[in-house]
Amino acid sequence: MSRIVFRNARLFDGLQRGLQPASTVVVEDGSIDAVEPGDLPVDDAQVFDLAGRTLMPGLIDAHVHVTATIPDFFKLSMLPQSLVTAQSKDVLAGMLDRGFTTVRDAGGADAGLVQAVEQGIFAGPRLFIAGRALTQTGGHGDTRPAFFQNVGCACCGAVGILGHIADGVGAVRRAAREELRNGAHQIKVMAGGGISSPNDPLEGTQYSIEELTAIVQEAEAARTYVMAHAYSPAAIERAVRCGVRSIEHGNLLDEASARLMAEAGTFLVPTLATYAAIAANADRLGWSKAMKEKTDRVKHQGIEALRIARAAGVKIALGTDLLGDMHASQSDEFTLRLPAMPADEIVWSATAVNAELLGQSGRLGCIAPGAHADLLVIDGDPLTDISLLQQPERVPVVMKQGSFHRCTLAPAR
């Protein structure tokens, strides 16, 4: 019996903002076959009567690091890649357990891990990968400690698991082409300083205009796009003017940079969960005073950045950017945003907006004929109480591409 039917569902379809009452959804061969209001008779199917529970698309996280199995990037880069891959199995399974059926990896995962998930070797969300993030020497993705000698780059072996160091227009073109050759779905570039790197200021800009433009050109030639790590208005504006599709983090943006993003159609991918988790664990992690000060600054600015972006009409996506055992805090992103966004808008970000960002509208983030059958059943209304998405017992069904990852409901027949 290849068909599965959900009856009496309050439907959030990712095509419109509200819930629709009493709908029927038919799943066949991994896709949505039919969506009808009311009760649609279907023969030869496994039927689940949802009795008014909410049926919604699987969640999408647009900024993860599934291979960041420990929070120290340099120590991580020195581990055998086979060990890191084995450790990532639990990270991937945890994401799917939390209802994230698709994620965009922002640096670290490779094409082999994509295949491991696609072939069912690892249970996990669908992966869109950036390969290794492009970084200038001394940039946010350069994990080498000071005075690390006799290694001209961090691109070889395990040392380069997250960052691909390249300087100059010719070198960044080649680096982008290399990541695309190795299966990257999009290119990640470090366009400014970060909190987990102790020596680069948050206000700093990284890569020249010529280098950023070259990277975007290479991505566009391959019919894909660039995601840019940036915090400060200067870094954001430079990246947007060079044609990047999404700004990652963006906690220090101001009204002028937000307006520029809105005019260009650039997405913002806030990642509030990681700052809350890092702030709570900074002493245990052994972070330096400078790193903790940067964390506190962006943590306190995150909600204001969301308010500014929302007022300017920026497309706001959803990411988390968690590391090591802090991946367990992934669903905290939902409630952390509530001071700046209503619950229904946050759910929209995690479904329809993220699907648009990935270039997957109509296939992901929605319940419509022809879309992937990535579905969640929620015991309640997440558009008014988003904390339901943080309670596994209130999410009895997690389905990815027509297969149940979790199902605690008994079929009607």
Side-chain angles (χ1 to χ4, degrees), residues 59-68 73 91 94-96 98-100 102-107 125 127 188 195-196 227 229 231 247-251 268-279 287 295 298-299 306 316-337 346 349-350 354 357 386 389-390:
L59 300 166
I60 304 170
D61 189 330
H63 192 120
V64 303
H65 295 282
V66 301
T67 59
F73 284 153
V91 176
M95 291 179 175
L96 191 54
R98 291 184 283 274
F100 290 91
T102 298
V103 299
R104 185 180 64 158
D105 192 272
L127 280 166
K188 166 77 174 296
I195 64 169
S196 60
M227 54 191 295
H229 166 106
Y231 281 100
I247 296 294
E248 311 301 306
H249 318 303
N251 295 53
L268 176 66
V269 187
T271 57
L272 303 187
T274 196
Y275 311 118
I278 289 171
W287 280 37
T295 300
V298 297
K299 178 175 180 284
L306 268 176
I316 299 174
L318 183 138
T320 56
D321 193 30
L322 292 156
L323 313 170
D325 59 4
M326 292 179 279
H327 279 112
S329 301
Q330 187 177 25
S331 298
D332 290 357
E333 186 72 24
F334 301 127
T335 47
L336 286 169
R337 293 187 176 205
I346 300 169
S349 291
N354 274 354
L357 169 57
I386 202 167
L389 298 177
Q390 299 171 319

Side-chain angles (χ1 to χ4, degrees), residues 13-69:
D13 62 9
L15 303 173
Q16 47 194 327
R17 296 295 183 97
L19 290 183
Q20 303 168 53
S23 298
T24 300
V25 175
V26 181
V27 173
E28 187 165 10
D29 296 330
S31 298
I32 305 296
D33 183 62
V35 180
E36 298 289 345
D39 197 6
L40 176 68
V42 179
D43 296 326
D44 190 27
Q46 187 178 33
V47 178
F48 291 85
D49 188 339
L50 299 190
R53 296 181 179 89
T54 300
L55 184 67
M56 64 174 288
L59 300 166
I60 304 170
D61 189 330
H63 192 120
V64 303
H65 295 282
V66 301
T67 59
T69 56

Side-chain angles (χ1 to χ4, degrees), residues 101-115:
T101 53
T102 298
V103 299
R104 185 180 64 158
D105 192 272
D110 64 11
L113 203 51
V114 174
Q115 292 175 50

Side-chain angles (χ1 to χ4, degrees), residues 132 135 144 151-161 163-166 179:
R132 294 171 298 174
T135 179
R144 299 172 298 172
V151 177
C153 71
C155 310
C156 305
V159 176
I161 196 166
H164 189 151
I165 300 173
E179 296 309 319

Side-chain angles (χ1 to χ4, degrees), residues 352-365:
V353 177
N354 274 354
E356 183 185 358
L357 169 57
L358 296 176
Q360 296 291 315
S361 295
R363 292 181 291 274
L364 298 176

